[in-house]
Amino acid sequence: MESSPTMGIIETHRNLLSQLLLEDTAAELTVYEGQFHHVVIGSDRVVCFARTEAAAKRLPERAAVLRTLAGIDLGFRTPQPLAEGGAQGTDEPPYLVLSRIPGAPLQDDALDDPETAETVARQYVTLLCGLAAAGREEKVRAALPVAPVDEWQEFASGVRAELFPLMAASGRERAERELAALDALPHLASAVVHGDLGGENVLWETVDGVPRLSGVVDWDEVGIGDPAEDLAAIGASYGDELLSRVLALGGWASDGTAERISAIRGTFALQQALYARRDGDEEELADGLSGYR
């Protein structure tokens, strides 16, 4: 999530927020902007406002998924739904109130210290192993969407049909190279996959001067799939050095995982653009396509 340049969302929903976040004044709130939601952070609660009509329709599903995750021992905290609003026929905007997970994303220089980087890598391995174990539970697989066999082929078709008309010729050539790498991906649906495990969605607390993983937020794209997707997000956020350490510690350095990571990581901008196009989010669409125009 990126910090919002203005506090307009607080002004727009001031009265509603004063009811939902009773312990906080407007000046104490923080606003972030995710791909699908405007997120208002209070002292112990978070309010998510849907950015588009499509995102609003998904809010009940999102709440159900978070309830499922709350019932799994993942080894870290996930947000719990506390209230929903904005039902059809009311004047309220669609929203979801969640418990706030304490902590913050790692600072940019946190991994400069080798011992700290090792500690962080080990905790990421524990996180990913927890997601893999959850993906083997029948109740979890029944509650979460499972990646279809033709997932990447469908994605490539969508990019060509919906995004290619918006690209320059050079952008289409670049996209074709990135999509071609997906052809070799096997179909794997073995683990719970967060879907956007970038550094901004993983929160840490400092205990005795050492980062301790506190929780993971923003589960909009969660499903049963290939853990290489989450590893690709870790690499995109923190770089290849930390990613290599995570792969080594997890025993994933020589099983083809690195090749899958590379192919998936190359499509991140296209994924952002395609989902934004389908949601009618012009700002996110333009950002995702910025390297293709």
Side-chain angles (χ1 to χ4, degrees):
M1 296 183 295
E2 296 181 358
S3 181
S4 176
T6 71
M7 302 301 281
I9 193 74
I10 292 177
E11 292 301 322
T12 301
H13 304 300
R14 178 180 288 273
N15 291 336
L16 178 59
L17 288 170
S18 68
Q19 300 170 35
L20 299 175
L21 304 174
L22 296 174
E23 303 299 320
D24 304 290
T25 66
E28 294 171 320
L29 301 177
T30 303
V31 181
Y32 287 91
E33 204 166 310
Q35 180 167 359
F36 303 112
H37 306 97
H38 300 287
V39 183
V40 181
I41 312 291
S43 57
D44 61 357
R45 290 184 168 198
V46 173
V47 182
C48 302
F49 294 104
R51 286 175 56 122
T52 65
E53 290 185 11
K57 292 178 180 178
R58 293 194 298 268
L59 282 177
E61 178 184 350
R62 185 185 188 207
V65 165
L66 289 172
R67 292 188 185 97
T68 296
L69 293 172
I72 306 170
D73 183 11
L74 292 171
F76 54 85
R77 285 170 284 192
T78 59
Q80 297 189 31
L82 302 176
E84 300 174 56
Q88 190 172 7
T90 70
D91 294 331
E92 293 180 339
Y95 67 82
L96 180 61
V97 182
L98 306 174
S99 61
R100 179 179 177 178
I101 304 299
L106 287 176
Q107 297 294 317
D108 292 340
D109 60 353
L111 301 178
D112 291 347
D113 175 60
E115 291 186 6
T116 299
E118 178 77 6
T119 297
V120 168
R122 289 186 179 280
Q123 290 180 79
Y124 263 115
V125 170
T126 300
L127 184 161
L128 292 163
C129 287
L131 293 177
R136 295 190 289 270
E137 296 185 22
E138 287 302 320
K139 67 175 183 178
V140 177
R141 297 183 69 87
L144 299 180
V146 178
V149 173
D150 59 352
E151 174 188 16
W152 293 113
Q153 290 78 10
E154 286 294 317
F155 170 73
S157 296
V159 169
R160 293 186 178 103
E162 300 174 52
L163 298 184
F164 271 27
L166 308 176
M167 297 180 182
S170 60
R172 290 192 291 272
E173 291 175 3
R174 171 188 166 182
E176 281 290 6
R177 292 193 298 271
E178 293 164 345
L179 295 175
L182 299 176
D183 292 340
L185 288 178
H187 176 251
L188 295 176
S190 59
V192 173
V193 174
H194 178 277
D196 189 13
L197 202 63
E200 69 277 8
N201 290 329
V202 181
L203 306 183
W204 305 77
E205 295 178 295
T206 301
V207 179
D208 296 328
V210 178
R212 182 181 67 185
L213 198 151
S214 173
V216 180
V217 299
D218 196 357
W219 292 85
D220 287 349
E221 300 175 56
V222 66
I224 306 296
D226 185 350
E229 295 183 45
D230 284 341
L231 285 159
I234 293 170
S237 289
Y238 299 113
D240 292 336
E241 186 173 346
L242 181 72
L243 176 61
S244 296
R245 191 62 188 143
V246 171
L247 292 176
L249 290 169
W252 306 307
S254 59
D255 64 353
T257 302
E259 290 76 13
R260 303 200 314 277
I261 290 170
S262 179
I264 293 168
R265 186 171 168 180
T267 67
F268 277 174
L270 293 175
Q271 290 186 47
Q272 174 184 332
L274 183 62
Y275 303 145
R277 170 78 169 175
R278 291 173 174 174
D279 262 19
D281 192 325
E282 293 298 327
E283 182 178 346
E284 287 289 321
L285 173 64
D287 182 62
L289 287 180
S290 60
Y292 300 87
R293 287 176 159 169

